[in-house]
């Protein structure tokens, strides 16, 4: 099924994908159908679990693809390498490899320069299936370990700890191979310039493939025999990448037309839409919350047009099909990373925190728009899963759960083993007869019919190339409750009760299975997304317990991931023994996405809780973000601090909304909201400058930046300031606030004015002191461009006002 692709191409620079495998990557939405990878869009490497391509800026041998061999894990080495001193779960997974691994840092670079050796950089993350496979097959291999250690300086990087390193070298791999993914393996000069790059390699040659062992030998020989050519080509590639990756305002004074960008983005999405199953590709299919957010926003501004109705239908249908499919864990809740098939049926079973966070918001918004409790139930289920499985006792949120786990104790891990079921298991767990059915029926048979389980298993061979899941089933809703009830002559509510009871029994049974590996690393960025997930869902559904979870998450960030003296965020912390929180030494400082996502979370939390302290912290973090990442010359934000990325050949600005929105897209919207909360002109100026800097990218491929296009529309349509004058704890104030939260109004800021002229909000927006309560009742105003509506005191009046 999978092999490394290597081709001969002297002086290969950009866009030089060889025929076949690498060339089968397609921009925007297409992927090779049998590759389990992690991505939201084809042109983004952001979440591809692995691919099979090697790119080179110098001569490399020809090769092909083949199947991945199955091999049992080697016995762990008794002597650890230096990765044993790291905190990253991914690096610790490699601490007993017979490879002389270094963490990313000066010690490794100095060794490479002193010994004149190329650097072998390997990047992955702890829940990556194909990272596990390459470690098992190659990095645990004694001969390969010896070759790596003798002829290269070997560096391991957790992409989630160092997204800057990952982005720079993934840019090289993508540009020179039209593909990318994890594990990512790149060979660098001692000055950190890339000259060969690829992803997953099988260990040995096959009939149509070149194995990792052979690749290492040939790169070693090329370095010895043609080093100058490699260095020249490497420099040429780096120069070209620098030119192609530059994003700046240039001669442009203003961003493009929002109407034009909206229309183009919608049309591109419409062309790729799957009418039957929803989503935007054949297979594999990804959740892509940024696209769903764009479609909802597009619907709101085009409600009276056919395109507006179409956008709403596309988003709601996609969310419903996803929630009914196997990509959703019907037993334990939460969503898997992506579907390997068009029908959302068989997932890649990994569960990522950032998916849960963004999907909770998307389903909450779907409920706001449709009023259908199906969507709110899904959102609540996602957050139940996060609270149960991904939450630290102090309030922070873990990164992910692995796709792989042992089917039974002491067995080799297999993908999906924790999640799949045989008919025999269901029959044994649910043997009770169902009273009132028109034919003999057990509760197990009812569940199997509704969720599409079969004796032979419902996982096809194309989704199970190794035959590990024969006879197994993934639960996916095949019929509506009404159809299932009619099939057996039962009441709909009775069927609902029976199915829920059956799922609970399956959940209890699953507790006895070996659990998937938990990546207990906590990232500021993804914690920020999760604060938004809880805050928005809690506000929309009027559930204080969810808002409290958001508050606990924000408190965790401030207590454990914020340096008060410098005002900087830390990127990572880790769960220690006894529920403690640990940090690396020296600490890993935050990147653009950490600040952008945390600021968004704090703004959402302020609107959900009306606690001005969260808004105050958001303002301080935005000031720090501007100081560390803003490009005063070209506009927009760099992904990393200049000092943190010293030595890297590129300093990039992320220009793709993928599995997560880009830091620049989120920052643009944050700046717009912050201007609405404070009136500070500098943030509006920065927002306009940022949108202008990304003008060319939006014009060329608006579908690559749907979140930024959405912000462009919000900017050009003008943000609403919804001001509630009242006591935060008063019943009438809460009624007006809940009215606002119940409606889908993406282009707004919600402000509580408590009447205190010395309060934080009154100091930010002096005009608030001119707004009065009517008859001492909580009163709402809707303001645009410093002009406010007439006051209203009833939720129904406010609803009418907001519908205008």
């Amino acid at each position: 099924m999978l092999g490394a692709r290597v081709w001969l191409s002297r002086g290969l620079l950009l866009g030089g994908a060889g025929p076949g495998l690498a060339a089968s990557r397609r921009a925007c939405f297409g992927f090779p159908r049998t590759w389990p990878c992690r991505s939201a869009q084809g042109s983004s490497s952001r979440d591809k679990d692995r691919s099979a391509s090697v790119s080179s800026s110098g001569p490399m041998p020809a090769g092909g693809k083949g199947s991945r061999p199955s091999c049992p894990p080697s016995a762990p080495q008794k002597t650890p390498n230096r990765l044993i001193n790291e905190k990253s779960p991914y690096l610790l997974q490699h601490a007993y490899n017979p490879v002389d691994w270094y963490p990313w840092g000066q010690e490794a670079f100095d060794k490479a320069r002193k010994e004149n050796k190329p650097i072998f950089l390997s990047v992955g993350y702890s829940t990556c299936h194909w990272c596990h496979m390459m470690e098992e097959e190659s990095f645990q291999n004694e001969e390969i370990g010896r070759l790596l250690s003798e002829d290269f300086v070997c560096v391991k990087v957790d992409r989630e700890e160092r997204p800057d390193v990952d982005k720079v070298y993934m840019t090289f791999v993508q540009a020179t191979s039209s593909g990318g993914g994890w594990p990512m393996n790149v060979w660098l000069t001692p000055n950190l310039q890339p000259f060969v790059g690829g992803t997953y390699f099988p260990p040995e040659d096959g009939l149509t493939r070149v194995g990792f062992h052979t690749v290492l030998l040939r790169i070693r020989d090329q370095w010895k025999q043609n080093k100058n050519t490699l260095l020249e080509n490497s420099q040429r590639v780096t120069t070209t990448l620098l030119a192609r990756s530059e994003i700046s305002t240039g001669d442009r004074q203003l961003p493009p037309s929002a109407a034009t960008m909206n229309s183009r983005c919608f049309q591109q999405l419409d062309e790729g839409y799957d009418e039957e199953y929803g989503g935007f590709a054949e297979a594999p299919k990804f959740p892509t919350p940024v696209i769903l957010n764009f479609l909802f926003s597009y619907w709101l501004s085009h409600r009276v047009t056919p395109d507006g109705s179409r956008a709403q239908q596309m988003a709601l249908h996609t969310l419903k099909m996803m929630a009914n499919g196997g990509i959703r864990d019907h037993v334990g809740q939460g969503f898997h990373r992506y579907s390997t098939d068009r029908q959302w049926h068989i997932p890649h079973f990994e569960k990522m925190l950032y998916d849960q966070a963004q999907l909770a918001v998307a389903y909450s918004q779907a409920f706001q728009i449709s009023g259908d409790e199906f969507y709110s139930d899904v959102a609540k289920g996602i957050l139940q899963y996060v609270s149960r499985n991904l939450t630290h006792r102090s309030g922070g949120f873990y990164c992910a759960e692995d796709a792989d786990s042992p089917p039974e104790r002491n067995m080799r891990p297999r993908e999906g083993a924790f999640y799949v079921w045989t008919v025999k298991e269901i029959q044994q767990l649910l043997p009770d007869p169902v009273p009132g059915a028109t034919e003999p029926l057990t509760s197990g048979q009812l569940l199997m019919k509704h969720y599409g389980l079969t004796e032979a298993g419902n996982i096809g061979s194309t989704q199970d190339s190794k035959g590990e899941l024969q006879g197994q089933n993934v639960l996916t809703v095949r019929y509506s409750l009404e159809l299932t009830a009619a099939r057996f002559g039962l009441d709909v509510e009775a069927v609902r009760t029976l199915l829920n009871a059956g799922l609970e029994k399956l959940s209890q049974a699953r507790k006895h299975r070996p659990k998937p590996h938990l990546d207990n690393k906590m990232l500021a960025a993804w914690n920020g997304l999760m604060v938004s997930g809880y805050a928005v869902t809690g506000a929309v559904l009027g559930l204080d317990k969810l808002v409290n979870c958001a508050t606990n998450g924000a408190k965790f960030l401030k207590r454990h991931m914020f340096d008060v003296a410098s005002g900087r965020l830390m990127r990572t912390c880790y769960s220690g023994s006894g529920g403690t929180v640990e940090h690396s030494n020296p600490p890993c400082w935050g990147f653009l996405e950490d600040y952008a996502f945390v600021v968004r979370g704090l703004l959402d939390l302020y609107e959900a809780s009306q606690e001005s302290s969260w808004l105050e912290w958001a303002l301080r973090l935005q000031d720090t973000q501007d100081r560390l990442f803003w490009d005063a010359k070209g506009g927009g934000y760099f992904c990393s601090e200049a000092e943190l990325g010293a030595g890297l050949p590129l300093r990039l600005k992320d220009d793709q909304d993928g599995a997560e929105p880009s830091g620049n897209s989120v920052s643009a919207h944050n700046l717009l909201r912050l201007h609405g909360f404070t009136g500070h002109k500098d943030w509006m100026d920065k927002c306009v400058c940022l949108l202008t800097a990304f003008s060319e990218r939006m014009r060329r491929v608006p579908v690559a930046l749907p979140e930024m296009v959405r912000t462009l529309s919000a900017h050009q349509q003008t943000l609403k300031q919804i001001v509630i004058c009242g006591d935060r704890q008063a019943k009438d104030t809460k009624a007006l606030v809940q009215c606002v939260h119940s409606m889908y109004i993406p282009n707004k800021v919600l402000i509580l004015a408590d009447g205190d002229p010395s309060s934080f909000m009154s100091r930010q927006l002096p005009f608030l002191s001119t707004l009065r309560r009517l008859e001492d009742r909580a009163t709402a105003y809707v303001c645009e461009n410093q002009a406010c509506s007439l006051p209203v005191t009833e939720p129904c009046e406010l609803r009418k006002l907001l519908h205008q």
Side-chain angles (χ1 to χ4, degrees):
M1 170 179 149
L2 177 70
R5 176 74 178 179
V6 187
W7 61 86
L8 178 65
S9 179
R10 181 172 295 276
L12 176 64
L13 290 177
L14 299 178
L21 207 60
S24 68
R25 293 271 182 205
R26 294 289 181 262
C28 297
F29 301 112
F31 302 89
R33 296 187 183 182
T34 59
W35 295 1
C37 56
R38 290 175 53 203
S39 179
Q41 293 179 260
S43 58
S44 169
S45 68
R46 194 170 193 88
D47 260 323
K48 294 167 193 161
D49 188 301
R50 55 110 184 109
S51 66
S53 60
V54 172
S55 58
S56 170
S57 62
M60 286 296 294
K65 67 175 182 176
S67 62
R68 175 176 60 83
S70 173
C71 58
S74 305
Q77 303 299 306
K78 292 182 179 180
T79 304
N81 56 51
R82 56 180 57 77
L83 297 185
I84 197 68
N85 298 315
E86 297 299 307
K87 297 289 187 184
S88 160
Y90 176 63
L91 269 55
L92 289 171
Q93 286 174 350
H94 293 262
Y96 287 88
N97 294 165
V99 178
D100 188 19
W101 289 117
Y102 284 77
W104 180 266
Q106 198 60 46
E107 183 183 5
F109 311 152
D110 289 344
K111 177 181 172 68
R113 289 168 189 144
K114 180 180 179 181
E115 299 180 8
N116 194 24
K117 289 181 179 178
I119 294 170
F120 170 65
L121 171 66
S122 183
V123 181
Y125 56 99
S126 80
T127 57
C128 164
H129 175 74
W130 288 95
C131 299
H132 299 335
M133 293 312 305
M134 191 160 179
E135 188 219 359
E136 188 177 292
E137 297 168 344
S138 293
F139 299 143
Q140 292 183 14
N141 181 287
E142 293 284 348
E143 174 58 23
I144 289 176
R146 181 191 61 78
L147 186 58
L148 280 168
S149 301
E150 289 181 359
D151 295 303
F152 305 89
V153 175
C154 303
V155 176
K156 251 304 167 191
V157 167
D158 182 336
R159 65 168 289 264
E160 294 167 355
E161 283 190 333
R162 291 300 302 259
D164 57 332
V165 175
D166 179 63
K167 283 184 177 75
V168 165
Y169 296 110
M170 190 65 76
T171 298
F172 166 77
V173 171
Q174 286 184 296
T176 53
S177 72
S178 299
W182 296 280
M184 176 177 68
N185 299 292
V186 185
W187 285 262
L188 318 176
T189 70
N191 290 326
L192 306 184
Q193 293 187 336
F195 62 90
V196 176
T199 51
Y200 167 83
F201 295 88
E204 301 296 340
D205 296 350
L207 291 175
T208 58
R209 67 184 183 187
V210 173
F212 188 54
H213 186 269
T214 299
V215 170
L216 289 174
L217 290 174
R218 294 183 181 178
I219 291 176
R220 179 194 66 182
D221 293 343
Q222 289 291 326
W223 182 259
K224 291 179 179 178
Q225 298 166 15
N226 297 305
K227 183 173 68 173
N228 289 338
T229 302
L230 287 175
L231 293 175
E232 290 169 7
N233 287 333
S234 176
Q235 182 59 53
R236 194 155 58 245
V237 168
T238 301
T239 301
T240 308
L241 287 176
L242 274 168
R244 286 189 52 165
S245 63
E246 184 179 359
I247 293 172
S248 68
T249 56
D251 296 330
R252 292 179 290 271
Q253 300 297 316
L254 293 171
S257 159
T260 302
M261 295 303 98
N262 258 298
S263 178
R264 287 183 187 172
C265 189
F266 171 74
Q267 292 302 325
Q268 288 179 346
L269 290 171
D270 193 25
E271 289 169 6
Y273 180 65
D274 184 338
E275 297 282 354
E276 188 172 1
Y277 295 104
F280 300 90
E282 286 292 316
K285 278 187 174 175
F286 296 82
T288 57
V290 290
I291 288 175
L292 302 172
N293 291 342
F294 168 81
L295 290 172
F296 282 148
S297 182
Y298 185 87
W299 159 77
L300 188 66
S301 57
H302 297 77
R303 277 177 294 182
V304 297
T305 69
D307 280 354
S309 298
R310 168 78 169 164
Q312 183 199 52
Q313 178 267 330
M314 288 162 63
L316 291 177
H317 180 58
T318 297
L319 285 166
K320 184 153 280 190
M321 296 303 289
M322 283 168 46
N324 284 332
I327 190 175
R328 179 184 174 202
D329 179 3
H330 295 275
V331 175
Q333 297 303 310
F335 278 77
H336 299 295
R337 179 72 278 270
Y338 64 84
S339 171
T340 61
D341 57 88
R342 180 187 168 205
Q343 294 82 12
W344 303 106
H345 180 196
I346 308 301
H348 173 49
F349 292 90
E350 178 184 25
K351 287 181 176 179
M352 305 300 297
L353 181 68
Y354 59 76
D355 282 325
Q356 317 310 320
Q358 295 177 90
L359 287 171
V361 173
Y363 279 98
S364 298
Q365 292 174 339
F367 172 67
Q368 284 178 314
I369 290 166
S370 69
D372 187 342
E373 290 186 0
F374 172 86
Y375 298 106
S376 61
D377 288 343
V378 175
K380 287 187 284 188
I382 291 170
L383 298 182
Q384 287 169 2
Y385 161 72
V386 173
S387 294
R388 185 179 61 247
N389 291 66
L390 296 180
T391 301
H392 187 273
R393 65 173 65 177
S394 297
F397 305 105
Y398 301 129
C399 281
E401 284 191 308
D402 209 326
D404 299 5
S405 61
E408 296 179 21
R409 305 291 174 190
N410 301 318
M411 290 183 67
R412 181 184 185 275
R414 296 180 182 178
E415 183 169 7
F418 186 70
Y419 299 101
V420 294
W421 303 90
T422 64
V423 164
K424 183 178 179 181
E425 285 176 304
I426 303 299
Q427 290 172 335
Q428 289 175 344
L429 288 167
L430 303 171
D432 296 338
V434 175
T438 54
E439 62 187 76
L441 180 73
T442 67
S443 56
Q445 290 170 327
L446 177 71
L447 185 141
M448 289 188 289
K449 181 70 173 179
H450 188 74
Y451 288 104
L453 279 68
T454 67
E455 191 78 42
N458 63 14
I459 302 174
S461 58
T462 54
Q463 279 81 40
D464 181 28
S465 61
K466 289 188 64 182
E468 293 181 337
L469 297 173
Q470 290 182 0
Q472 301 284 348
N473 292 271
V474 172
L475 272 63
T476 183
V477 176
R478 292 294 189 188
Y479 307 99
S480 67
L481 287 171
E482 290 77 11
L483 280 174
T484 299
R487 167 70 177 77
F488 297 108
L490 298 169
D491 179 73
V492 171
E493 286 307 310
V495 170
R496 189 195 310 273
T497 301
L498 286 165
L499 291 175
N500 287 341
L503 293 174
E504 178 58 29
K505 285 191 176 181
L506 267 57
S507 178
Q508 294 301 318
R510 208 156 74 174
K511 290 179 180 179
H512 299 287
R513 296 178 174 182
K515 290 184 177 181
H517 158 71
L518 172 70
D519 187 326
N520 66 2
K521 178 171 70 273
M522 289 170 274
L523 300 179
W526 298 0
N527 272 251
L529 289 176
M530 204 66 244
V531 169
S532 286
Y534 275 106
V536 172
T537 305
V540 169
L541 304 184
L543 295 175
D544 289 342
K545 64 179 181 180
L546 299 183
V547 178
N548 290 338
C549 290
T551 300
N552 291 336
K555 288 178 178 177
F556 180 91
L557 282 163
K558 196 163 190 178
R559 186 183 308 120
H560 296 290
M561 306 188 78
F562 178 61
D563 181 63
V564 177
S566 66
R568 294 165 79 194
L569 284 172
M570 298 176 195
R571 168 73 174 174
T572 60
C573 64
Y574 310 85
S575 178
S577 59
T580 59
V581 176
E582 299 179 350
H583 296 86
S584 56
N585 186 22
C588 182
W589 295 107
F591 297 91
L592 171 63
E593 63 183 33
D594 296 296
Y595 289 85
F597 296 176
V598 170
V599 169
R600 171 191 270 187
L602 294 174
L603 297 182
D604 289 337
L605 180 54
Y606 166 72
E607 292 196 341
S609 67
Q610 287 82 54
E611 286 276 6
S612 62
S613 60
W614 299 123
L615 183 56
E616 291 185 59
W617 191 30
L619 267 61
R620 182 175 179 188
L621 288 178
Q622 187 65 49
D623 282 334
T624 304
Q625 176 184 320
D626 293 347
R627 173 169 54 86
L628 296 176
F629 304 102
W630 180 254
D631 179 6
K633 181 180 178 181
Y637 294 97
F638 290 109
C639 294
S640 59
E641 295 182 42
E643 292 182 8
L644 193 62
L648 287 172
L650 304 172
R651 192 181 182 205
L652 299 174
K653 298 175 185 174
D654 195 4
D655 63 352
Q656 176 107 5
D657 296 325
E660 307 155 60
S662 77
N664 272 288
S665 293
V666 173
S667 293
H669 198 238
N670 288 346
L671 290 165
L672 197 60
R673 293 174 77 185
L674 287 166
H675 176 261
F677 280 122
T678 67
H680 294 178
K681 184 176 181 296
D682 178 58
W683 280 330
M684 178 59 78
D685 292 343
K686 274 190 166 66
C687 177
V688 173
C689 185
L690 188 158
L691 293 171
T692 304
F694 283 83
S695 291
E696 185 58 34
R697 176 67 163 160
M698 281 193 282
R699 285 193 180 98
R700 196 169 66 249
V701 197
V703 75
L705 284 167
E707 186 74 11
M708 191 172 290
V709 173
R710 195 168 74 90
T711 301
L712 179 67
S713 300
H715 163 60
Q716 295 186 4
Q717 291 171 10
T718 308
L719 220 62
K720 285 184 171 72
Q721 292 170 306
I722 304 173
V723 183
I724 311 294
C725 299
D727 179 353
R728 185 165 67 93
Q729 299 299 333
K731 187 175 180 180
D732 55 353
T733 302
K734 290 182 177 180
L736 291 175
V737 168
Q738 191 54 44
C739 172
V740 176
H741 288 315
S742 70
M743 301 176 67
Y744 178 68
I745 316 169
N747 301 339
K748 64 100 171 65
V749 293
L750 175 61
I751 298 167
L752 180 71
D754 60 7
D756 179 0
S758 65
S759 69
F760 175 76
M761 288 309 307
S762 294
R763 296 197 309 272
Q764 299 298 316
L765 296 170
F767 82 89
L768 294 179
S769 62
T770 67
L771 304 180
R772 297 283 182 264
R773 302 187 201 184
L774 290 184
E775 300 174 355
D776 205 30
R777 300 170 63 190
T779 304
Y781 298 83
V782 179
C783 307
E784 293 183 48
N785 293 322
Q786 318 228 335
C788 294
S789 68
L790 291 174
V792 296
T793 57
E794 294 294 335
C796 60
E797 295 175 326
L798 178 57
R799 183 174 292 274
K800 288 179 184 176
L801 194 58
L802 292 171
H803 266 306
Q804 292 177 1

